[in-house]
Amino acid sequence: MLKTRELSTFDEVNLFFDDAADRLGLTDGLREMLKRPWRELQVQVPVRMDDGEIQVFTGFRVQHNGARGPYKGGVRYHPEADLEEVRGLASLMTWKTALVDLPYGGAKGGVQVDPAQLSQNELNRLTRRYTQNIEHLIAPNRDIPAPDLGTNAQTMAWMMDAYGQIHGHSPAIVTGKPVEMGGSLGREAATGRGVAFLLQEAAKDLGLDTEGARIVVQGFGNVGSWAARIMYDNGCRIIAVSGVDGGVFNAGGLDIPRLQDFQNMTGGVSGFTGGEQISNRELLELDCDVLVPAAIDNVITEDNANSIKAPLILEAANHPITPEADRILSEGGVTILPDILVNAGGVVVSYFEWTQNLQEFHWEESRVNEELKKTMLRAYHEVRARSTSEGITHRQASFEIGVQRVVRAVELRGFV
Ligand code: NAD
């Protein structure tokens, strides 16, 4: 096997795909069709900065597979969001939406930018220009963007407005909008809530008592902070969390509500006095019951896989573990619940938001959370059953189920 650091995120996701395709006995032609994105767009995003200068950014939208429904996937603002990464993340969306059985395909977008370096006005202008440049590829029944790393509900409101200036009022064009703009109650917390639901359910199967269980969360953004907060409210002990600048650790458990207030005031977790400062590397290697990577891709590689002490990893981020690290950990007896299952709560409630927009009808938050729980647990039990019956990992079972559903849709459509 090639050293996975020489591979891109897209190549690595395709290693997981190929492994499932081998077991499913897919033909070469079908494999090729399912691996490669259906359509890709690279755009220039020129922005007039506050100082009057023009800066030119690069943006992408990749539509990976639309056999099961309109393309669906987030938009990432990150300096390293290149085409290969966006392709890999788009492909993960195809398998994820199929795994949780939503009527969607997979897509992803990205702009190579560090949003922390731009003012709100600059971000507004960048988002509008990016939306105008991909506008001909997206539509409420064609491709529906959502927030991802570096973007949020405000970004979606700007996207909806820019799209609406051309096409008229179209709330169903994006999900993850502010509730006042047609967003769904429960969407902001949905990905983190889904992570917490899965932990409770998996803990029963693994004989883990979640009351007081020691949890480490990397990333304290949308996904990480909600996951940490809900697990904290459920009685878990969150012993460490981190942001891009490093983390905080307290063996007795962090006061998560206080840490959230601190982050809201200062913009990060560094400097919080309720724990000791640690680096992101040290955080991943802490002795704990559950590790939740909820920040960026490729944080657990063959270089640090042997130092990971958690017996259970919930992949809240997309692609945090490389295939080689996945092999090392799995062979070492670590249970890994994969990204396409664990972080699917976001796209599940995005689907609820989209249906509410199409029907112009609002759900109560309790209904959103209940339906989210049902969807997440159904997917988890399907994965667990397949993993047990075939003697394969949860990741292998998740990919098998997702790929199988997409293959079925391709066959039923008969378009090739
Ligand atoms: P976010 O921008 O809200 O938060 C990201 C967090 O990660 C921040 O705390 C940031 O400081 C931290 N971070 C950034 N770079 C880091 C680094 N190099 N090392 C350590 N920490 C770092 O993003 P988010 O929406 O919470 O997304 C996090 C992950 O979850 C991404 O992989 C994303 O693709 C995935 N995801 C998000 C959603 C969603 O609904 N937002 C849904 C599914 C999956």
Side-chain angles (χ1 to χ4, degrees):
M1 194 185 202
L2 281 169
K3 282 201 151 200
T4 51
R5 276 174 301 167
E6 293 162 12
L7 300 178
S8 68
T9 298
F10 183 52
D11 293 331
E12 291 187 345
V13 172
N14 279 335
L15 288 180
F16 293 138
F17 166 85
D18 272 330
D19 174 64
D22 285 347
R23 266 175 286 112
L24 294 170
L26 300 192
T27 61
D28 289 349
L30 196 51
R31 268 176 205 246
E32 182 70 9
M33 202 188 96
L34 293 178
K35 265 199 224 183
R36 292 203 340 217
W38 183 254
R39 196 185 277 129
E40 305 181 336
L41 180 65
Q42 177 171 329
V43 295
Q44 192 192 96
V45 188
V47 179
R48 176 80 61 187
M49 307 301 278
D50 292 344
D51 64 4
E53 295 295 321
I54 293 172
Q55 260 193 48
V56 183
F57 300 91
T58 303
F60 309 98
R61 186 72 185 168
V62 173
Q63 297 175 335
H64 179 261
N65 185 290
R68 289 176 44 87
Y71 301 99
K72 187 85 188 83
V75 176
R76 171 171 289 201
Y77 287 176
H78 193 271
E80 279 149 39
D82 61 14
L83 188 53
E84 281 286 301
E85 181 185 72
V86 176
R87 275 183 187 138
L89 297 169
S91 149
L92 281 178
M93 285 305 294
T94 298
W95 317 127
K96 184 184 305 180
T97 53
L99 175 62
V100 288
D101 211 2
L102 301 178
Y104 282 141
K108 203 81 181 187
V111 178
Q112 270 174 7
V113 59
D114 180 357
Q117 303 303 318
L118 270 62
S119 70
Q120 284 299 99
N121 283 332
E122 289 166 341
L123 281 173
N124 184 350
R125 290 195 286 274
L126 173 127
T127 302
R128 284 174 189 283
R129 187 50 68 93
Y130 170 68
T131 308
Q132 285 158 2
N133 272 359
I134 65 162
E135 155 280 318
H136 56 294
L137 281 196
I138 60 173
N141 63 353
R142 178 167 291 275
D143 183 354
I144 307 123
D148 189 68
L149 192 70
T151 56
N152 54 28
Q154 176 61 76
T155 323
M156 295 304 111
W158 291 329
M159 282 193 88
M160 174 184 129
D161 188 65
Y163 184 85
Q165 284 178 338
I166 307 165
H167 297 275
H169 183 61
S170 317
I173 185 58
V174 285
T175 57
K177 299 178 288 293
V179 174
E180 306 91 312
M181 292 278 98
S184 177
L185 292 169
R187 170 61 184 90
E188 194 192 287
T191 312
R193 192 176 299 283
V195 176
F197 283 145
L198 280 196
L199 174 61
Q200 291 298 334
E201 201 65 11
K204 290 184 209 158
D205 292 329
L206 297 166
L208 169 72
D209 182 2
T210 55
E211 188 66 40
R214 295 163 310 150
I215 318 271
V216 168
V217 182
Q218 183 187 42
F220 204 59
N222 173 278
V223 179
S225 68
W226 277 107
R229 177 59 193 261
I230 297 167
M231 292 187 292
Y232 170 92
D233 289 343
N234 289 345
C236 301
R237 195 157 29 122
I238 315 298
I239 61 166
V241 305
S242 66
V244 64
D245 300 328
V248 278
F249 166 67
N250 183 333
L254 293 162
D255 182 341
I256 296 297
R258 234 187 88 212
L259 185 51
Q260 284 179 308
D261 290 343
F262 179 84
Q263 168 153 286
N264 289 340
M265 277 184 321
T266 65
V269 298
S270 293
F272 181 65
T273 51
E276 328 161 9
Q277 308 296 306
I278 50 165
S279 70
N280 264 295
R281 186 173 179 117
E282 289 166 329
L283 173 130
L284 291 170
E285 297 174 6
L286 282 172
D287 185 14
C288 62
D289 299 308
V290 186
L291 174 62
V292 183
I296 50 160
D297 346 353
N298 298 312
V299 292
I300 303 178
T301 67
E302 63 205 274
D303 294 335
N304 61 351
N306 281 312
S307 312
I308 303 294
K309 297 182 192 68
L312 172 63
I313 303 179
L314 266 61
E315 289 187 330
N318 280 311
H319 199 62
I321 302 180
T322 64
E324 185 57 13
D326 184 65
R327 188 189 60 73
I328 295 169
L329 291 164
S330 299
E331 285 177 6
V334 176
T335 301
I336 302 172
L337 297 187
D339 46 10
I340 59 173
L341 173 67
V342 173
N343 68 33
V347 73
V348 169
V349 176
S350 274
Y351 168 62
F352 299 157
E353 177 174 332
W354 182 71
T355 58
Q356 290 171 70
N357 293 151
L358 295 178
Q359 296 174 347
E360 305 205 24
F361 180 76
H362 290 290
W363 294 9
E364 302 278 333
E365 188 168 358
S366 55
R367 178 173 175 197
V368 171
N369 292 344
E370 227 169 84
E371 294 285 336
L372 169 65
K373 185 172 185 180
K374 254 196 266 174
T375 310
M376 295 299 291
L377 296 198
R378 187 179 58 223
Y380 169 74
H381 286 295
E382 283 172 350
V383 168
R384 182 169 154 72
R386 176 132 358 177
S387 145
T388 308
S389 69
E390 294 188 13
I392 55 181
T393 66
H394 291 83
R395 188 188 311 279
Q396 289 176 312
S398 299
F399 270 80
E400 252 190 47
I401 296 169
V403 171
Q404 214 167 21
R405 288 195 176 138
V406 176
V407 168
R408 181 76 184 134
V410 167
E411 285 167 356
L412 285 171
R413 278 180 185 267
F415 77 105
V416 68

